[in-house]
Amino acid sequence: MSETAGGEMGKNSPLISEFETEEQEAGHTRWLKAKVAAALRDSRPAVAHEDVMAEAEAIVATSESRTDR
């Protein structure tokens, strides 16, 4: 979200906002809030950062070994 020096939200500045219109920003904000709410409702157990990184590194290594052929 863009924010001006006075704290006013929604005023898009090309120096602050990556959105071209306030409608794009509002749509993204709605999407993000829905994703965060869904994540907070998720009752699955948390996964340790180290476990996630190990899995990601294994995926990258597999991908790289396939492209080296």
Side-chain angles (χ1 to χ4, degrees):
M1 273 182 263
S2 61
E3 186 171 347
T4 62
E8 186 176 321
M9 302 298 281
K11 299 295 181 194
N12 291 326
S13 164
L15 300 176
I16 298 171
S17 180
E18 60 189 67
F19 303 103
E20 293 180 13
T21 67
E22 288 184 19
E23 291 77 19
Q24 287 177 341
E25 182 178 6
H28 178 75
T29 299
R30 285 190 301 276
W31 168 83
L32 181 59
K33 285 181 178 184
K35 295 292 275 186
V36 169
L40 291 172
R41 289 190 307 269
D42 191 339
S43 62
R44 293 178 292 177
V47 179
H49 175 77
E50 293 80 16
D51 296 341
V52 172
M53 292 306 297
E55 185 176 342
E57 289 170 1
I59 291 168
V60 169
T62 299
S63 176
E64 287 175 343
S65 69
R66 289 182 182 164
T67 59
D68 288 341
R69 294 181 187 174

